[in-house]
Amino acid sequence: MTRVLLVEDEPAIADTLVYALETDRFVVAHALTGGDALEIFAQQAFDFVILDVGLPDMTGFDVCRKLRENSQVPVLFLTARAGEIDRILGLEIGGDDYVTKPFSPREITARVRAILRRSGAVAEFSSSAGSPKSTRALQHDSVAMRIHCHGVCLDLTAHEYKLLLVLLENQGRVFTRDQLLEKAWYDPGAVTDRTVDAHIKTVRAKMRHAAPGAEDLIQTRRGLGYVLVME
Ligand code: CA
């Protein structure tokens, strides 16, 4: 039984989502405000939180920050603005994924399942043996300077693009954070290795968004750095 806390103030959206989630056999609690959500979350155990960014009493960002003080529960954001995506996925807010409005209820339940599969699998440091990966999982369009993930064009910032390109062009090679800073930033002195981690996180999230359920192509080598593996 998977318990989901849905935080959404628009009744029409909330009703549709509650119905879709319950049809998919999730147990759903619904909160209309950030304050209510935090209160309910403190009293009951949840496996997942779906969080609208625009709430009447506080932002979904504030709610997520509060949750993150003592919980690593997966958080899927509902946002009306594409401009909020980088903040959502950044270290400051700590969201796991996002869906932009308008969306279909099916899209939400599929994402919830994909995120739960990932968090349950703890695949961060797993061996890549035997995992089905398409060689076309990532494709670089050098003319347009864009990278496609499973056919979907990734909406990357300049640094994310360079970072992913370095990894993509050197598949199987492990890069330390310092090496990635040097290759993907013009002025590596101005940033820290935490910057690399933050950008890797947003790149991963954007790839997951492009291909829900697909495996992480960027692997973390603990104590060493990152490597992109496609088979
Ligand atoms: Ca809202």
Side-chain angles (χ1 to χ4, degrees):
M1 196 172 77
T2 307
R3 297 182 49 87
V4 177
L5 176 59
L6 169 67
V7 191
E8 168 64 69
D9 59 311
E10 277 174 69
I13 295 178
D15 288 351
T16 318
L17 278 185
V18 168
Y19 179 78
L21 288 161
E22 286 181 348
T23 306
D24 226 12
R25 305 223 181 123
F26 291 103
V27 176
V28 187
H30 174 215
L32 287 157
T33 66
D36 281 356
L38 291 171
E39 209 166 287
I40 295 171
F41 192 83
Q43 290 161 357
Q44 303 173 30
F46 289 97
D47 306 293
F48 203 96
V49 176
I50 299 175
L51 192 49
D52 182 28
V53 173
L55 295 167
D57 56 337
M58 58 175 89
T59 69
F61 297 151
D62 297 330
V63 176
C64 189
R65 252 187 241 111
K66 289 257 180 219
L67 292 178
R68 283 284 175 263
E69 284 172 9
N70 42 33
S71 168
Q72 284 307 308
V73 66
V75 175
L76 173 69
F77 273 99
L78 310 177
T79 173
R81 286 185 233 154
E84 289 170 336
I85 292 166
D86 287 333
R87 270 193 87 195
I88 288 172
L89 301 175
L91 290 176
E92 182 210 356
I93 309 289
D96 294 275
D97 201 352
Y98 63 93
V99 174
T100 44
K101 296 179 178 180
F103 48 76
S104 75
R106 244 174 200 292
E107 196 182 342
I108 303 284
T109 53
R111 277 195 197 282
V112 172
R113 289 213 176 278
I115 294 168
L116 284 170
R117 258 200 312 275
R118 271 200 319 268
S119 58
V122 196
E124 184 95 316
F125 192 45
S126 70
S127 118
S128 59
S131 49
K133 287 181 192 123
S134 160
T135 48
R136 297 169 66 83
L138 282 181
Q139 277 182 310
H140 182 217
D141 178 345
S142 59
V143 176
M145 295 180 83
R146 293 204 169 272
I147 297 172
H148 297 254
C149 179
H150 293 277
V152 179
C153 182
L154 295 172
D155 182 16
L156 301 171
T157 65
H159 284 127
E160 289 166 354
Y161 168 75
K162 280 186 261 182
L163 189 58
L164 184 54
L165 189 58
V166 169
L167 291 167
L168 180 60
E169 288 183 335
N170 299 275
Q171 288 174 44
R173 174 172 165 194
V174 179
F175 286 95
T176 65
R177 290 169 176 78
D178 282 343
Q179 287 169 334
L180 289 172
L181 274 180
E182 214 164 277
K183 288 185 184 301
W185 272 262
Y186 290 122
D187 182 12
V191 290
T192 67
D193 51 3
R194 204 173 140 80
T195 310
V196 173
D197 294 339
H199 282 74
I200 291 278
K201 193 184 172 211
T202 53
V203 169
R204 276 179 170 151
K206 286 176 180 180
M207 291 200 290
R208 288 200 300 265
H209 187 78
E215 248 180 279
D216 259 346
L217 298 173
I218 302 176
Q219 298 180 2
T220 304
R221 292 290 163 82
R222 221 162 290 259
L224 295 173
Y226 297 102
V227 58
L228 190 139
V229 178
M230 287 201 291
E231 287 174 349

